[in-house]
Amino acid sequence: MTEALTSQSAKPAFCQRFSRADLIFAAAIFLLVIFASVASEAFLTQRNIVNISRQIVTNGFLSLGMLMVIRTGGIDLSVGSVLAFAGLLATGLQAQMHFSAAIAVALAMGAVVGGINGWLIARFNLQSFIVTLATMGSLRGLLYVYANTPRYPVDDAFRALLGGGSIGPVPVNFILFALTVPTVWFYLNHTVSGRAAFALGVNKEAVRLAGVNVGKHLIFAYVACGLLAAIAGVLLASRLGIAQPSVGVGYELDAIAAVVIGGGLLGGGGGTAIGVLGGVLALAVVDNVLNLFNVDSYYQQLLKGLIILVAVLARRKRA
Amino acid sequence: MTEALTSQSAKPAFCQRFSRADLIFAAAIFLLVIFASVASEAFLTQRNIVNISRQIVTNGFLSLGMLMVIRTGGIDLSVGSVLAFAGLLATGLQAQMHFSAAIAVALAMGAVVGGINGWLIARFNLQSFIVTLATMGSLRGLLYVYANTPRYPVDDAFRALLGGGSIGPVPVNFILFALTVPTVWFYLNHTVSGRAAFALGVNKEAVRLAGVNVGKHLIFAYVACGLLAAIAGVLLASRLGIAQPSVGVGYELDAIAAVVIGGGLLGGGGGTAIGVLGGVLALAVVDNVLNLFNVDSYYQQLLKGLIILVAVLARRKRA
Amino acid sequence: MPHLAVKNIAKSFDGNPAIVDISFAVEAGQVLALCGENGAGKSTLMKILSGALRPDSGEISLDDKPVQIGGPADAMALGIRTVYQELSLLPHLSVAENMLLGRMPTRGFGVAVDWNTANRIAGRVLAEFGFPGIDPRTLVGALGVAQQQIVEIAKALVSDPKILILDEPTAVLSASETEKLFASVQQLAAGGVIVLYISHRLEEIFEIADQVVVLKDGQSVLEGRIATLDLARVIEAMVGRPLETIYPQRNRQRGKVVLEVEKLNQTGAFVDINFSVHAGEIVGMFGLVGSGRTEVAKAIFGACPADDGTVRLKGVVANFRTPALAVASGLAMITEDRKGDGLALEASVLDNMGLASFLRVSRFGLLDGAKRRAIVDEKVRELSIRPRGHARPVRQLSGGNQQKVVIAKWLLVENTELFIFDEPTRGVDIATKVEIYQMIADLAANGVAVLLISSEMPEVLGLSDRLLIMREGRLVAELMTDDLRPEIVFAQAAGLTLHESSERLN
Amino acid sequence: QDSIKIGMVNLSLCCAYFVGMDAAVRDEASAYSNVDILSTDAEGDVAKLTANVEDMLNQGVEGLIVSGAWIEAAPAAIEAINAAGVPLVMVDRLLKGGDYTSWVGPDNRAIGEGIGDYIVNRLNGAGNVVIIRGGPADNTIGSNRSEGVQSKFAGTNIQTLVAAGWGEWSADGGFQQMEDMLAKEADIDAVFCENDSMCLGAQKAIADAGRSGDIFIASVDGEMGALSEIMKADGNYGATGLNSSDQIGRAGFHRLMALLAGAQSEKDTVLPSPIITIENVAKFYNEDSTF
Ligand SMILES: Nc1ncnc2c1ncn2[C@@H]1O[C@H](COP(=O)(O)OP(=O)(O)OP(=O)(O)O)[C@@H](O)[C@H]1O
Ligand SMILES: Nc1ncnc2c1ncn2[C@@H]1O[C@H](COP(=O)(O)OP(=O)(O)OP(=O)(O)O)[C@@H](O)[C@H]1O
Ligand SMILES: [Mg+2]
Ligand SMILES: [Mg+2]
């Protein structure tokens, strides 16, 4: 359990002691970057770096939420639907209310959906995979009932502020993500709830016997995951200046991939915020590089699969 | 652990003693059927029943394979890609060879992909979710490289025999499925490999220390899953009279849903062939009924999600 | 002054009664010992007191006030602390975090965990308990089971308990740790704490208990002050008949050498191990827990192969890389950690018992289900595994009965040449121990070579022909067991001179 | 009075374009009191589409309208319809693999050529044009459009730069592809997307890169978002080739009704696809259109 062990020093710190796997992994990303910047002069340009930073945001937020759920030993397949619905609400409702209010509604929706997932899983002791699979489907249907055609933001400030805006060269939405990483890290490693959630991911019964309210912490993880997915949805919609009901299908898989590549263990027992950051970064850079090198899109799919494999092989746990 | 108990009856027999959950579940399907046949005269017509039987086949084969993998505590996301590739090979190769040979190639491909999945998971002790996620992507890319436009069967016998053909009123492909269920059931309950695979799904180390060759049985499960997915792909192509590279996306989720609804436990420890049959049947009947009542498609999605939830709630394990 | 009374408690699991009707009362500062056969209902009763289970009927009163214990949290609030029979630690968390789970010290509006305080508290408790060696920052997963058990106990001592429940705490401990445990138990009792103590090592009970309750089939069949009872009485109450001899008579004929181990090394576990075991011989292996016996056994068995050195089986080199190979050439190993690598808890008794003996009941990979069930049922009877039947998941069996399943799994394997027992009677009741000893003796009598690893001195002395003693990963002595004094053995194991060790023993 | 059941078979209702077509059919039908529309959504899956057709025939529909969206053929479905002997009108997409009664739809290559002309004129025959492709799924619609466009570049000094990845027909796909193109290519003068959604995304990427001034956009479909952008006097959304799912849907429905009434009709009907620019956009802009 290399990950499980090292992802977990007794006194977690933002830069925890890293495992061999983590180092290999970091090195691999580093090499990729070096290689890319040598091979394509377009890569290390400010423009491209800004692009990558912006492209990270969506999967970044989803992955952080996914991490919180995966650390409880669960999984959340409904994030893609939440993201789409949140985008529709945040843009669609602008006709009726100020966009900040619309955003609030969207985020609330995300939290509620997460709450429902968590409650069903905790209260009835159901398998998260199937519960969130169900909510993923239902919510997708529901959001189409709400809006089966795109919605466009009415208020220009909405785009200017979140999606388009940037402080200096740094995009606002990336800054928001950059701030969320340490927040999640702090929750996971330094709060009672975060630790309890991590503990119950491996042995729920043991945590219950310690007199801990398992349900509370479990549900919180799903609420946070839903909320983060909703944020991702709002930011995406404002970045694109359009909210499409069909968006977000399959995003959950990218998020899970990012978490696992970053050292997360499905079924609980591992995964760190910083690892997820690495996973998200790796996936985004790979996408970007493949595009910059004009790799045919079919081969892109093929390669991406292989790269994921190599990544998990590099950080595999010794049997 | 209701499921674990019944998946495990003292004397495994094709009709094992059922748990309360199984009975509730069976009753629910039965009621649905009664209700449907009363509410829509179209439902109990021979034609409709033939349709349903045909509509079951694809998810049926996929779910049986998925069951074998899930019982080892794993999951296989690559079945959709295997299905698509198998269809393309079985139809595309007919130009060069007799269709039976083409089918053989397709099935071999399925087995090989399964073998690779299993080998990676067993040999390097990787998480099945991420490994099969990677092969799912790579294979999808690969099959597009092989054929990015649809392939049509050359040999009419191919369709007449498998897809179109029927013995009496019963479609051939359904008969094939109907024969596969007891075969899988027999493997799971009455072979060394089947029992060993089940045990290692619960505690791999214990099985290893009992002197069992864990890798062998683990890999076998994935090979079988790949093979069954390939069979599903061939049958689907011959039924549709076309093999499309885009087919099968998301099928893995339907298969997993069927297994879980049928009492399977992700992470190992439960699931029976007959339960899967029930799960597949339930999903197909629901689809069919919703169509017969021409429920608006978005509401269909919404309802299907809720129905999955109700199904798992009905057979939940007491905490 | 707390006073615990339990009246007419009953509990059954889907129809099968585990506890029929139990009542007892304990005064402050008393140590109450619960004895009983495997499956008698001891753990269930304790789980009811700790809130892990709810009784079907009956009432619990503390200080003459009836209390409702709806869940673990309620029990905690009442000052009830429990050490469960099965380890309930989280391997991926640090020792400190495990000990303080649920009551982590915090700062910053009770949000942020105060790691320093946490580690300090844990360190203090461990030190007071007599184990300053265990660093509160290490991950529990990196500890051996023995140290894990220490942590498990220390966990219960963190916030000083009013009632302390110990369910077979010494099963994985050796003499020295047990002493320390008893010391703190007596100290707590002196401080007015009620201690409920479960153990199958009856000598322990007579050492620290004030009061005894003997359970049989979920009912209390004997109650009384320890002073008024003797071992025979308790055993008879438990088993229903007197036990004449504990250790079987052995007709020893030493056959050809079966196992030869030469210069076996494994970094971090053991160095330069040399010994041999002959057919028909029982070789005991004693040592303090953590001395590396399990690692040696696992290396021979191919579970975690040694770095260098040779193992010979009947003269042929046999450095197995996998257990499969070992089993194929006639080895069997009853592993020490039944939950971790001995059993598939969710799987049925049938699946677990039949796991090693597929060859007997299959042809071309096809199982003969009837035969498989037949041989399993036979062993269930032989070992009086309760409840009868092979369908239920092993998880639902009592600890001792689970241990019997592990043993049965290997007894079902045919023509085995070398049997390795690693702590075979852990958590097994006295009557069954006798049966198991008999079986081990029979195996030897039938020309099987037996390597018996045990932390129970009387066991190794009573059964083995030769005794190997390990200390800190080395074989420090090889003794013949005829008229061997425990002091000598212990001295060797602990690396003390005879004089001081005999002090520490009494 | 007996009602007439008509089946509207959609491969997918994922996106505004197809939703619009489905809505148009229902809308036209609503004028006839005894016409029931049964509409299905196969969520992009041919197998499910076939099952849906089977279920509909089973309910005794008297005619079927099939919107095959991005798939090439559905032999089993079409054969089932033929076997049942009910008239089949295909809209937008002409599916291979079986006989059909009539088809109403656009000529995607022609639309492409129209856009191609527009781009050539606006660039005076010289410059670099980025092309963003939709997706792999049997993408002949898209490739027809792109080929149409590129056919007009022959013999000019216009270079085409095809984005490596797929735009997935969606705004976010278009956005990312455009971002990477902007990073990769120094001088870009125009962008063509195989549908509007992708260009709506690409447009934002261009804006974020501060290049709105020197890159203009052209695409195909004519959805609301695109039209309102084209309307902007200072906008850089140049043109879109109208491919009105609304028209197609209505025409398809009436074709089927006529056939049911026994009328004889031409087998294939290509709908005109004007190029919409700021000059004529007012004519096509319609506040309350679903698409
Ligand atoms: N979760 C459960 N489900 C069903 N039966 C159970 C469960 N837990 C315990 N039992 C049954 O209750 C009875 C008492 O079990 P318990 O664990 O109390 O025995 P015990 O006295 O602790 O035995 P041991 O000395 O082996 O620990 C046993 O027959 C056991 O099979
Ligand atoms: N540092 C460790 N890390 C991981 N596992 C360990 C460690 N120490 C011991 N174990 C395992 O825990 C189990 C029990 O350990 P224990 O404390 O009994 O030491 P041991 O090796 O069993 O020594 P002995 O057999 O002499 O008691 C064994 O399976 C052993 O391999
Ligand atoms: Mg017990
Ligand atoms: Mg040991």
Side-chain angles (χ1 to χ4, degrees):
Chain A
M1 304 272 302
T2 321
E3 299 92 328
L5 287 182
T6 47
S7 67
Q8 253 328 293
S9 66
K11 183 173 190 305
F14 191 69
C15 292
Q16 305 178 332
R17 37 180 173 73
F18 293 107
S19 72
R20 215 182 94 281
D22 292 326
L23 297 177
I24 291 178
F25 178 59
I29 297 184
F30 185 69
L31 285 177
L32 179 62
V33 170
I34 298 295
F35 166 72
S37 32
V38 172
S40 145
E41 70 290 341
F43 183 76
L44 266 194
T45 58
Q46 174 184 339
R47 145 117 270 101
N48 192 52
I49 290 169
V50 170
N51 286 351
I52 294 179
S53 73
R54 227 192 273 103
Q55 289 162 10
I56 283 177
V57 174
T58 304
N59 192 23
F61 274 103
L62 293 182
S63 302
L64 284 174
M66 192 64 74
L67 171 68
M68 293 178 66
V69 168
I70 283 178
R71 296 214 349 158
T72 68
I75 198 165
D76 187 348
L77 301 178
S78 67
V79 289
S81 302
V82 171
L83 170 135
F85 201 2
L88 284 171
L89 289 171
T91 42
L93 291 176
Q94 287 181 26
Q96 292 90 295
M97 56 187 82
H98 184 265
F99 75 84
S100 56
I103 292 177
V105 175
L107 300 191
M109 179 280 303
V112 169
V113 172
I116 294 171
N117 283 334
W119 178 74
L120 286 167
I121 293 162
R123 167 74 182 73
F124 299 105
N125 189 23
L126 299 177
Q127 305 178 49
S128 57
F129 190 102
I130 198 73
V131 169
T132 56
L133 179 63
T135 42
M136 163 176 132
S138 299
L139 198 62
R140 184 63 67 174
L142 193 65
L143 73 89
Y144 269 108
V145 171
Y146 168 72
N148 58 8
T149 55
R151 293 286 179 268
Y152 303 92
V154 182
D155 192 332
D156 293 344
F158 176 66
R159 246 210 116 234
L161 217 66
L162 298 170
S166 56
I167 296 173
V170 193
V172 171
N173 49 17
F174 178 74
I175 293 174
L176 290 175
F177 170 63
L179 292 175
T180 312
V181 175
T183 317
V184 170
W185 164 81
F186 181 83
Y187 167 77
L188 294 178
N189 289 327
H190 289 294
T191 67
V192 175
S193 177
R195 299 308 299 172
F198 182 55
L200 70 87
V202 166
N203 184 345
K204 215 163 145 186
E205 183 60 8
V207 178
R208 189 181 76 89
L209 292 179
V212 176
N213 179 344
V214 170
K216 193 175 71 185
H217 304 298
L218 200 57
I219 292 174
F220 180 83
Y222 285 89
V223 170
C225 183
L227 186 64
L228 288 166
I231 294 175
V234 172
L235 291 177
L236 185 62
S238 83
R239 191 184 91 181
L240 301 177
I242 176 177
Q244 289 172 314
S246 57
V247 79
V249 174
Y251 281 19
E252 67 281 357
L253 295 181
D254 296 344
I256 295 165
V259 173
V260 174
I261 290 175
L265 289 172
L266 296 165
T272 61
I274 191 135
V276 165
L277 184 59
V280 174
L281 202 62
L283 289 176
V285 169
V286 166
D287 268 357
N288 178 264
V289 169
L290 290 175
N291 273 343
L292 292 190
F293 291 174
N294 270 323
V295 177
D296 175 282
S297 44
Y298 300 130
Y299 290 96
Q300 284 200 16
Q301 256 178 305
L302 207 166
L303 284 174
K304 245 183 291 179
L306 296 180
I307 288 166
I308 292 180
L309 261 187
V310 174
V312 289
L313 270 172
R315 53 159 58 266
R316 78 179 206 259
K317 43 177 149 104
R318 298 275 164 285
Chain B
M1 305 279 303
T2 323
E3 297 90 330
L5 259 174
T6 45
S7 67
Q8 262 325 300
S9 69
K11 184 177 190 310
F14 192 68
C15 292
Q16 309 178 329
R17 40 175 174 70
F18 295 107
S19 73
R20 216 182 93 280
D22 292 326
L23 296 177
I24 291 178
F25 178 58
I29 299 185
F30 185 69
L31 285 177
L32 179 63
V33 170
I34 298 295
F35 166 72
S37 34
V38 173
S40 147
E41 71 289 341
F43 182 77
L44 266 195
T45 57
Q46 175 185 338
R47 176 151 179 204
N48 192 52
I49 291 168
V50 171
N51 286 348
I52 295 179
S53 71
R54 232 193 271 100
Q55 290 159 16
I56 283 179
V57 175
T58 305
N59 192 23
F61 274 103
L62 293 182
S63 303
L64 285 175
M66 193 62 76
L67 170 68
M68 292 177 67
V69 167
I70 284 178
R71 295 216 351 158
T72 67
I75 198 164
D76 186 348
L77 301 178
S78 67
V79 290
S81 303
V82 171
L83 170 135
F85 201 3
L88 283 171
L89 289 171
T91 42
L93 292 176
Q94 286 181 26
Q96 293 91 294
M97 56 186 81
H98 184 265
F99 74 83
S100 54
I103 292 177
V105 175
L107 301 192
M109 180 279 303
V112 169
V113 172
I116 293 170
N117 283 335
W119 179 74
L120 286 167
I121 293 162
R123 169 71 182 73
F124 300 105
N125 191 20
L126 299 176
Q127 306 180 46
S128 57
F129 191 102
I130 198 72
V131 168
T132 56
L133 178 64
T135 42
M136 165 176 130
S138 302
L139 198 61
R140 183 66 65 178
L142 193 64
L143 71 88
Y144 270 113
V145 172
Y146 168 73
N148 60 2
T149 54
R151 295 283 177 268
Y152 303 92
V154 183
D155 191 332
D156 295 343
F158 175 68
R159 289 202 61 201
L161 216 65
L162 299 170
S166 56
I167 295 174
V170 192
V172 171
N173 49 16
F174 178 75
I175 293 174
L176 290 175
F177 169 63
L179 293 175
T180 311
V181 176
T183 316
V184 170
W185 164 81
F186 182 85
Y187 165 77
L188 294 178
N189 290 320
H190 290 293
T191 67
V192 172
S193 182
R195 296 321 294 172
F198 176 73
L200 73 88
V202 179
N203 183 347
K204 211 160 148 192
E205 186 59 6
V207 177
R208 190 178 79 90
L209 289 181
V212 177
N213 180 339
V214 169
K216 191 175 73 183
H217 303 302
L218 201 57
I219 291 174
F220 181 82
Y222 285 88
V223 170
C225 183
L227 185 64
L228 288 167
I231 294 175
V234 172
L235 291 178
L236 184 63
S238 82
R239 169 172 161 230
L240 299 179
I242 179 176
Q244 269 159 327
S246 59
V247 79
V249 174
Y251 281 19
E252 67 281 358
L253 294 180
D254 296 344
I256 294 165
V259 172
V260 174
I261 291 175
L265 288 171
L266 296 164
T272 61
I274 189 130
V276 165
L277 184 60
V280 174
L281 201 64
L283 289 176
V285 170
V286 166
D287 268 359
N288 179 264
V289 169
L290 291 175
N291 270 347
L292 291 191
F293 294 165
N294 50 78
V295 177
D296 176 284
S297 57
Y298 300 139
Y299 289 96
Q300 284 202 19
Q301 263 176 301
L302 207 166
L303 284 174
K304 244 181 297 177
L306 296 180
I307 288 166
I308 292 181
L309 263 185
V310 173
V312 288
L313 271 172
R315 52 159 60 263
R316 78 179 207 259
K317 45 180 148 92
R318 299 274 164 282
Chain C
M1 276 294 111
H3 162 86
L4 173 69
V6 167
K7 287 195 202 67
N8 311 106
I9 294 287
K11 171 77 180 175
S12 55
F13 296 96
D14 36 49
N16 326 331
I19 295 180
V20 180
D21 170 11
I22 293 180
S23 311
F24 65 78
V26 216
E27 297 299 330
Q30 294 284 300
V31 177
L32 172 76
L34 282 149
C35 312
E37 291 180 300
N38 297 129
K42 304 182 294 297
S43 296
T44 305
L45 184 57
M46 296 303 105
K47 285 180 183 163
I48 287 169
L49 287 173
S50 71
L53 293 173
R54 296 222 187 130
D56 301 341
S57 64
E59 78 173 37
I60 302 164
S61 61
L62 196 53
D63 306 337
D64 306 316
K65 289 184 292 296
V67 291
Q68 290 304 322
I69 302 178
D74 301 355
M76 299 265 171
L78 293 168
I80 301 175
R81 298 281 176 275
T82 312
V83 175
Y84 293 94
Q85 180 173 15
E86 305 296 344
L87 284 173
S88 58
L89 293 174
L90 299 153
H92 63 306
L93 299 186
S94 72
V95 169
E97 206 171 353
N98 267 285
M99 286 172 63
L100 293 165
L101 191 61
R103 59 185 77 84
M104 268 285 180
T106 59
R107 46 186 167 70
F109 324 107
V111 186
V113 174
D114 183 345
W115 291 103
N116 295 325
T117 315
N119 289 325
R120 204 172 55 248
I121 296 172
R124 199 196 67 234
V125 173
L126 282 166
E128 286 171 356
F129 186 23
F131 299 89
I134 301 176
D135 177 356
R137 292 157 185 268
T138 52
L139 291 176
V140 163
L143 300 176
V145 287
Q147 286 169 307
Q148 290 185 359
Q149 181 65 14
I150 299 296
V151 174
E152 182 83 56
I153 296 167
K155 183 177 166 186
L157 303 177
V158 167
S159 54
D160 34 14
K162 279 172 69 184
I163 298 176
L164 178 62
I165 299 174
L166 299 165
D167 193 347
E168 296 188 33
T170 55
V172 296
L173 300 183
S174 57
S176 59
E177 289 109 358
T178 306
E179 280 178 41
K180 290 177 180 168
L181 172 61
F182 287 180
S184 10
V185 165
Q186 274 146 352
Q187 190 187 347
L188 286 166
V193 176
I194 295 176
V195 180
L196 301 177
Y197 188 89
I198 299 177
S199 177
H200 287 293
R201 298 185 181 170
L202 299 178
E203 64 279 8
E204 291 180 350
I205 288 175
F206 283 87
E207 188 177 341
I208 63 158
D210 306 298
Q211 226 180 316
V212 181
V213 173
V214 179
L215 303 186
K216 191 169 176 50
D217 305 328
Q219 276 160 311
S220 86
V221 289
L222 176 66
E223 248 186 281
R225 306 206 55 78
I226 199 76
T228 68
L229 298 168
D230 64 7
L231 187 57
R233 220 29 234 289
V234 173
I235 291 178
E236 187 164 358
M238 275 175 61
V239 183
R241 62 188 155 83
L243 280 181
E244 44 296 324
T245 54
I246 303 280
Y247 299 103
Q249 279 312 318
R250 308 230 3 253
N251 57 332
R252 303 176 180 174
Q253 72 277 67
R254 194 166 188 232
K256 294 192 302 326
V257 62
V258 173
L259 176 74
E260 294 164 282
V261 177
E262 271 177 29
K263 299 196 173 54
L264 211 59
N265 286 303
Q266 189 178 75
T267 43
F270 52 81
V271 280
D272 190 33
I273 304 295
N274 303 282
F275 69 93
S276 67
V277 184
H278 290 249
E281 185 184 35
I282 299 178
V283 174
M285 200 183 237
F286 185 78
L288 302 186
V289 170
S291 55
R293 297 163 300 174
T294 296
E295 280 79 359
V296 171
K298 282 187 169 178
I300 296 169
F301 193 61
C304 25
D307 304 334
D308 52 64
T310 49
V311 177
R312 283 204 198 70
L313 205 59
K314 292 185 144 181
V316 203
V317 174
N319 292 20
F320 300 114
R321 309 302 301 170
T322 71
L325 296 171
V327 173
S329 26
L331 265 65
M333 175 171 171
I334 282 103
T335 54
E336 147 190 78
D337 174 6
R338 65 167 167 259
K339 209 174 170 192
D341 55 28
L343 294 167
L345 287 172
E346 301 306 338
S348 67
V349 171
L350 178 68
D351 273 316
N352 275 282
M353 277 204 200
L355 204 51
S357 49
F358 282 124
L359 281 179
R360 274 182 73 182
V361 295
S362 65
R363 289 218 347 283
F364 317 118
L366 303 185
L367 279 175
D368 176 346
K371 184 172 176 199
R372 189 162 181 244
R373 287 188 294 278
I375 61 172
V376 164
D377 287 333
E378 189 190 346
K379 274 280 171 284
V380 168
R381 263 191 306 281
E382 270 182 45
L383 292 174
S384 58
I385 292 173
R386 259 179 270 121
R388 293 240 182 281
H390 53 232
R392 71 180 60 225
V394 174
R395 175 184 295 294
Q396 296 180 358
L397 268 53
S398 75
N401 282 297
Q402 289 180 6
Q403 183 65 25
K404 295 185 200 172
V405 171
V406 178
I407 293 172
K409 172 171 69 187
W410 288 107
L411 292 177
L412 282 172
V413 183
E414 273 175 340
N415 40 47
T416 306
E417 312 207 317
L418 172 66
F419 248 95
I420 303 173
F421 291 89
D422 193 354
E423 315 283 5
T425 59
R426 198 169 263 181
V428 172
D429 66 45
I430 182 77
T432 315
K433 266 184 192 167
V434 172
E435 293 166 35
I436 292 173
Y437 295 152
Q438 187 58 56
M439 285 173 185
I440 295 175
D442 294 347
L443 283 170
N446 299 337
V448 176
V450 176
L451 177 63
L452 172 65
I453 298 171
S454 173
S455 305
E456 283 196 55
M457 180 90 63
E459 193 166 285
V460 276
L461 288 180
L463 273 177
S464 39
D465 309 331
R466 264 189 305 139
L467 190 54
L468 305 170
I469 298 175
M470 282 191 72
R471 186 199 319 147
E472 289 151 8
R474 298 175 178 278
L475 259 184
V476 292
E478 176 166 350
L479 311 162
M480 301 308 290
T481 44
D482 320 275
D483 61 41
L484 183 60
R485 293 195 3 261
E487 294 82 348
I488 304 168
V489 179
F490 185 82
Q492 291 287 1
L496 311 159
T497 71
L498 191 47
H499 163 66
E500 48 184 323
S501 69
S502 44
E503 280 177 354
R504 296 179 93 263
L505 262 191
N506 51 41
Chain D
Q1 46 108 300
D2 54 350
S3 72
I4 306 172
K5 276 191 199 151
I6 299 230
M8 175 65 189
V9 181
N10 299 284
L11 176 75
S12 167
L13 290 177
C14 65
C15 320
Y17 181 84
F18 305 112
V19 172
M21 196 154 6
D22 185 68
V25 171
R26 294 164 183 271
D27 185 46
E28 286 296 302
S30 61
Y32 308 86
S33 60
N34 68 331
V35 174
D36 300 345
I37 298 288
L38 315 184
S39 161
T40 61
D41 169 11
E43 288 160 47
D45 175 4
V46 209
K48 189 158 192 316
L49 178 117
T50 310
N52 289 341
V53 167
E54 285 167 348
D55 291 346
M56 279 191 170
L57 293 171
N58 206 13
Q59 290 165 273
V61 292
E62 294 177 36
L64 282 156
I65 304 173
V66 173
S67 160
W70 57 78
I71 56 168
E72 190 77 5
I78 296 175
E79 282 160 20
I81 296 169
N82 298 344
V86 305
L88 160 62
V89 173
M90 294 203 218
V91 287
D92 178 41
R93 171 65 134 183
L94 178 50
L95 293 174
K96 297 211 207 83
D99 191 20
Y100 61 97
T101 323
S102 186
W103 167 76
V104 179
D107 177 343
N108 283 302
R109 189 179 165 91
I111 302 177
E113 288 167 352
I115 292 293
D117 288 327
Y118 173 86
I119 294 174
V120 172
N121 295 337
R122 186 156 167 179
L123 291 177
N124 308 322
N128 298 327
V129 179
V130 168
I131 292 185
I132 298 177
R133 317 233 16 223
D138 320 349
N139 177 23
T140 52
I141 305 179
S143 40
N144 288 342
R145 292 175 182 174
S146 293
E147 283 158 19
V149 172
Q150 279 161 289
S151 68
K152 294 296 181 175
F153 295 169
T156 70
N157 301 343
I158 294 177
Q159 309 304 325
T160 52
L161 313 163
V162 180
W166 300 119
E168 306 288 352
W169 303 111
S170 71
D172 55 331
F175 189 100
Q176 177 163 351
Q177 290 308 317
M178 193 65 222
E179 271 189 326
D180 289 345
M181 288 308 280
L182 286 165
K184 195 162 56 179
E185 304 295 342
D187 55 8
I188 299 172
D189 306 296
V191 179
F192 169 75
C193 312
E194 286 177 353
N195 79 345
D196 287 343
S197 295
M198 290 190 289
C199 261
L200 284 168
Q203 189 189 25
K204 304 299 182 299
I206 293 168
D208 292 346
R211 303 279 305 275
S212 303
D214 49 341
I215 302 178
F216 73 90
I217 292 167
S219 57
V220 180
D221 268 356
E223 74 170 81
M224 280 295 288
L227 295 188
S228 49
E229 285 297 330
I230 292 174
M231 268 189 163
K232 294 180 181 163
D234 59 345
N236 67 331
Y237 210 119
T240 185
L242 178 66
N243 172 27
S244 165
S245 60
D246 188 69
Q247 271 184 26
I248 295 171
R250 294 175 195 279
F253 174 78
H254 287 299
R255 172 60 52 85
L256 180 58
M257 294 307 285
L259 290 167
L260 287 173
Q264 300 291 323
S265 81
E266 57 176 351
K267 197 170 174 70
D268 299 339
T269 306
V270 175
L271 293 180
S273 306
I275 301 305
I276 304 174
T277 63
I278 189 151
E279 283 77 29
N280 59 354
V281 63
K283 253 207 342 283
F284 301 91
Y285 190 80
N286 162 10
E287 269 304 342
D288 47 47
S289 123
T290 51
F291 178 40

